[in-house]
Amino acid sequence: MAARKSPFFDTATTLGKIMAFLGISALCGVLAAGLLVPAAAVAGVGATSSIDYFDQLPDELQTSPLSQPSKIYSADGKLIATFYAENRVPVTLDKVSEHMQNAIISIEDARYYEHGGVDPQGIMRAAMSNMAGGDLQGASTLTMQYVNNVLIDAGASAGKSADELTISGTKSIGDKLREAKLAIAVEKEYSKEEILQGYLNIVLFSGTTYGIEAAAQTFFGVPAAKLNIAQSAMLAGMVQSPNYFNPVSNPEATTERRNTVLAAMLSNQKITQEEYDKAVASDLGIDLQPVRSGCVAANFADYFCSYVQHVIMQSDAFGADATERSKLLARGGLNIKTTLDSRLQKSAQKNVEEQVPMGDESGAGSSMVSVEPGTGKILSMAQNTNYNPEQGAENTELNFNVDADMGGTAYGFQPGSTMKPFTTVAWLESGRKLNDRIDASRTKYPAGYDWKASCLPAGAWFGEWDFKNAISGWERTMTVSEGLTKSINSATAAQAAILDLCDIRDAATRMGVHRAVDGEPFEVNNPSFVIGGQEVAPITMAASFATFASGGIYCKPIALESVKDAQGKEYEVPKESCKRAISKDVANAVTIPLENLVSDSPGYMRPMGFPAAAKTGTTDVSEQTWTVGYTTGLATASWVGNWTSYDSLNNVPINGVTRDYVDGATIAGAQWTEYMMEVAPLYETNAFENPPNSIVNPSQSQPSQSQNSGGGSGNGGGSGNGGSNNDGGSDDRGNGNNGRGNGGNGNGNGGGNDDD
């Protein structure tokens, strides 16, 4: 029995109203005639009409699977988060304490094992008490209550509002008769034990806590099988009015109600006087362990949880529209096994927060995401904020690691010099060599320069592009490999001036690079895109660099291993989607300068004791900084930057340290290095394969490569660098505290990155 506006029903109030409306003889006549005694016992036209109505009522209870929480797990079985409309964990009756069974029967339906679904003695007792002016009593049996809860659950699952459901205080005589007839039908089809089991699994205990197992775990932290006498009595008492008899908000009333249940158990000889005295003297003993719903309550990996939720909400496999998918997630009891490795996640979160703590006064964001080369499995996804919509420096629902449509920021972040390897890919694919010498002396290209861009209309025009290297002195001739290791802007620009810009864009696109804002390939409207002038998401960069690690195979990032609902139905999830994007030789060749970068120990990066390759990236004045790199078994993108504005990280206290220059090898490089040193050995760390000499070294007679100088084509991409990093950020500058090289001049062993 329960209070008004509850999924339980206060049958005392309802029955009292029915009595007042029909009179005691009419109601008892209807129930007796239709359910228990011969029709001759019924007198009066009202009763006969009600019998006719009763005969037309449905005589079979239509049940559907109970609403159950969905759970998201890591690949190694750790619970990430729970989603539910109703927190419920169905159990069989043998998993429910006998004390609990005795308690609920004693207080709700002492004659449960003696009636056939409707109890005539209970009806008469309630009627006489109500007519005599005593306490209002109800006549609903446990079976009738079970029926009503099934009807309410079905209505709620169908999307009915509370006003449309037959909860207590809202039932008509027809509702009551339907409930009675269905109760008899249920008793004919199911055993008493099955009905009691169904009732204990469906009944509401508090808020969104349904069923005895969830209630036992929530209020006492024990399984239903371990409930003692006092605990059982408290829970049994709560079902009459879950909102009122709540041990947290109303402990005094709950204690009094518990003692009433204990008295009923004693009266029904379910406990001894000694057991009663001991239980009554005890306190409630609450050990509250609530289960919160959704990614805001995730145990860990809250932003990965958000990503998984977006995957489900955007897939037709989980429903025809967002409403159906949301309902399935909240009520379908889905078991969602993901690709996440909890070991990597723990390390990623630790290292992200060690570099830029949550709520840091700088306001800087920090994130890391890892994927597995050759499969695309997302293994970790961390950032230095809480997944929470509430205001606060530590809170945001924006996922720094992913595209806008998957919960990321509106545009993503400019990747700086982490874009440069794709120019080298196009260079090698054009038949040129890794150690070709190029003239990197030029840092300005005039408006109308004859950039090749075959994907644009003929006569397309480019504006002026004026940039600088991060450190002067590198405007000279060098090899392509050296230019990439040292991250020289003028070297990459020199390559791009010789190549077709569309080929560079297409190489990046084949390797999964796309704009975070809309998922489209980069625009070829300004050559600055080759050094990071358009925004991407970290997961995009991690997956694209994994292509190098896997020998040229690009795999789309995936998050789901399997999804199965409470009935065992398996749902289709995105499978591994991998294809050859570049040749193995090209992938292995590009790895050489990237491996050399790690060996050069720029900034706070250092060799790890196993083969690793990486590229750093920094925007114009250090608004965004990156390190993206890989071993043969793990690819990781590390990002540190501003996500609420486009302000510099330079001369800003970050984690208590103020630096005059922050580049990709500083904070992003430090967290990437520490993380990879900890977790990369959990996966493959083999030596990278050597490419053939034919793709690395030019013939001795080959001259240095030079650029065009003419004007002509271009496509109106505007002048300047289009907001791109024009120096790339010198995150390869060296080991000094400010990342500027061992010798202080940026040209030492620290990498001398002039542009990153």
Side-chain angles (χ1 to χ4, degrees), residues 280-366:
V280 167
S282 67
D283 59 27
L284 292 176
I286 299 302
D287 181 12
L288 196 64
Q289 298 185 25
V291 177
R292 297 174 61 206
S293 178
C295 297
V296 295
N299 297 321
F300 67 106
D302 45 358
Y303 289 96
F304 178 73
C305 172
S306 170
Y307 183 84
V308 169
Q309 185 176 7
H310 276 82
V311 170
I312 290 174
M313 292 299 294
Q314 294 179 26
S315 172
D316 292 341
F318 301 100
D321 53 32
T323 299
E324 286 190 11
R325 296 164 199 162
S326 179
K327 176 182 171 182
L328 179 65
L329 188 60
R331 293 179 172 273
L334 300 180
N335 183 303
I336 304 166
K337 182 180 179 182
T338 70
T339 58
L340 194 82
D341 186 328
S342 68
R343 302 169 300 174
L344 272 63
Q345 180 65 30
K346 181 178 179 180
S347 177
Q349 192 64 45
K350 179 194 72 173
N351 281 288
V352 162
E353 292 185 41
E354 283 182 350
Q355 295 300 322
V356 188
M358 289 189 181
D360 190 71
E361 62 178 333
S362 66
S366 179

Side-chain angles (χ1 to χ4, degrees), residues 201-488:
N201 279 314
I202 200 171
V203 69
L204 172 67
F205 283 89
S206 176
T208 55
T209 301
Y210 288 78
I212 187 58
E213 180 68 18
Q217 296 283 3
T218 297
F219 290 105
F220 298 112
V222 300
K226 299 293 185 181
L227 289 169
N228 62 31
I229 292 172
Q231 292 168 338
S232 298
M234 190 202 83
L235 294 176
M238 290 175 66
V239 302
Q240 185 188 63
S241 182
N243 292 329
Y244 182 68
F245 295 124
N246 186 307
V248 177
S249 60
N250 201 353
E252 293 182 1
T254 304
T255 300
E256 183 178 349
R257 175 64 177 169
R258 179 202 68 177
N259 293 344
T260 298
V261 176
L262 289 169
M265 294 176 72
L266 178 63
S267 176
N268 288 297
Q269 300 181 341
K270 300 302 181 182
I271 57 176
T272 66
Q273 184 67 49
E274 181 180 358
E275 289 172 328
Y276 169 81
D277 293 339
K278 181 180 179 181
V280 167
S282 67
D283 59 27
L284 292 176
I286 299 302
D287 181 12
L288 196 64
Q289 298 185 25
V291 177
R292 297 174 61 206
S293 178
C295 297
V296 295
N299 297 321
F300 67 106
D302 45 358
Y303 289 96
F304 178 73
C305 172
S306 170
Y307 183 84
V308 169
Q309 185 176 7
H310 276 82
V311 170
I312 290 174
M313 292 299 294
Q314 294 179 26
S315 172
D316 292 341
F318 301 100
D321 53 32
T323 299
E324 286 190 11
R325 296 164 199 162
S326 179
K327 176 182 171 182
L328 179 65
L329 188 60
R331 293 179 172 273
L334 300 180
N335 183 303
I336 304 166
K337 182 180 179 182
T338 70
T339 58
L340 194 82
D341 186 328
S342 68
R343 302 169 300 174
L344 272 63
Q345 180 65 30
K346 181 178 179 180
S347 177
Q349 192 64 45
K350 179 194 72 173
N351 281 288
V352 162
E353 292 185 41
E354 283 182 350
Q355 295 300 322
V356 188
M358 289 189 181
D360 190 71
E361 62 178 333
S362 66
S366 179
S367 73
M368 278 200 296
V369 58
S370 293
V371 299
E372 184 178 45
T375 67
K377 292 180 179 179
I378 303 170
L379 301 176
S380 68
M381 184 180 289
Q383 72 184 55
N384 68 330
T385 57
N386 290 316
Y387 183 79
N388 195 318
E390 297 179 2
Q391 292 294 321
E394 298 181 4
N395 299 335
T396 181
E397 289 182 290
L398 294 174
N399 186 341
F400 301 154
N401 281 303
V402 302
D403 290 343
D405 67 337
M406 298 302 289
T409 62
Y411 297 101
F413 311 107
Q414 288 189 0
S417 293
T418 61
M419 278 297 297
K420 290 178 179 176
F422 306 112
T423 297
T424 301
V425 168
W427 181 268
L428 297 174
E429 289 183 335
S430 72
R432 295 172 172 87
K433 313 302 179 183
L434 184 66
N435 283 333
D436 283 341
R437 297 188 66 80
I438 53 173
D439 178 4
S441 61
R442 188 171 194 165
T443 60
K444 182 176 181 178
Y445 293 81
Y449 183 83
D450 189 19
W451 296 98
K452 299 182 182 67
S454 59
C455 56
L456 299 181
W461 186 86
F462 288 85
E464 180 182 85
W465 185 26
D466 189 2
F467 58 89
K468 65 181 185 294
N469 290 325
I471 300 176
S472 62
W474 283 84
E475 296 79 20
R476 57 176 174 77
T477 299
M478 65 189 70
T479 67
V480 168
S481 183
E482 183 182 20
L484 184 55
T485 296
K486 305 304 183 184
S487 197
I488 310 302

